Amino acid sequence: MSQSRAGQGPAKANKRGAARLAAVQALYQMDVAGTDVKSTLVEFESHRLGKDLEGDKLIGADVGFFRDLVSGVVQIQHRVDREIDETLALGWPLKRLDLTLRAVLRAGVYELMERRDVPPRVVISEYVDIARAFFEEGEEPGLANAILDNVAKRIRQAELSGSGEG
């Protein structure tokens, strides 16, 4: 993958960021509307990713990364949800969280669990930024940061202790 910071680094990062945002939106839509993975992926790839939105051209998303995030969350959702539930305060289950925050957490935890090619600090930072975009005034970004940080410490401790920085 991208070993170097030169060349395509920022463009690739922006495309992955766009894919993360779209994945959160897709997971939210699936939760609210009860749509399945296949139809949601088709809709997003046909009508949303890299398209104009109210006159603004959206950044093209890394479609493969988007597909992996959405499909991956659905495939191992019980494991993802268990990780989140273990991190939440006692008596505050995942199902009580705002649907948007739930989508942010599911995508972030999936990425921490399954995408070892992405440093955990990058995952946390990206999803906290997404939470900030949806919740400008609220505690949700801090909660997302705390939960993702806690999960990362549990499942990717070696990378967080300094050996994964560079």
Side-chain angles (χ1 to χ4, degrees), residues 76-152:
I76 65 165
Q77 187 168 327
H78 65 283
R79 286 178 44 216
V80 168
D81 287 356
R82 193 173 337 123
E83 282 293 335
I84 297 167
D85 274 332
E86 286 177 17
T87 307
L88 288 169
L90 199 59
W92 195 268
L94 178 65
K95 65 184 177 187
R96 288 184 61 190
L97 293 180
D98 174 90
L99 294 177
T100 303
L101 181 58
R102 188 183 323 171
V104 169
L105 293 173
R106 282 178 171 157
V109 169
Y110 168 79
E111 199 168 335
L112 286 169
M113 292 172 71
E114 299 294 321
R115 295 299 306 233
R116 301 293 175 147
D117 59 313
V118 182
R121 292 185 201 287
V122 170
V123 174
I124 295 166
S125 175
E126 288 284 320
Y127 287 101
V128 168
D129 286 348
I130 291 171
R132 281 190 190 113
F134 285 110
F135 304 100
E136 292 178 18
E137 306 209 12
E139 298 176 355
E140 291 86 354
L143 182 59
N145 186 44
I147 291 170
L148 294 172
D149 187 61
N150 192 297
V151 169

Side-chain angles (χ1 to χ4, degrees), residues 19 21-30 35 38-51 63 66 70:
L21 177 59
V24 167
Q25 293 169 327
L27 292 168
Y28 172 84
Q29 178 176 309
M30 290 169 58
T35 55
K38 187 175 182 179
S39 62
T40 302
L41 291 176
V42 168
E43 177 191 336
F44 271 74
E45 291 174 28
S46 300
H47 303 291
R48 297 190 186 196
L49 299 182
K51 307 293 184 207
V63 176
F66 166 75
V70 175

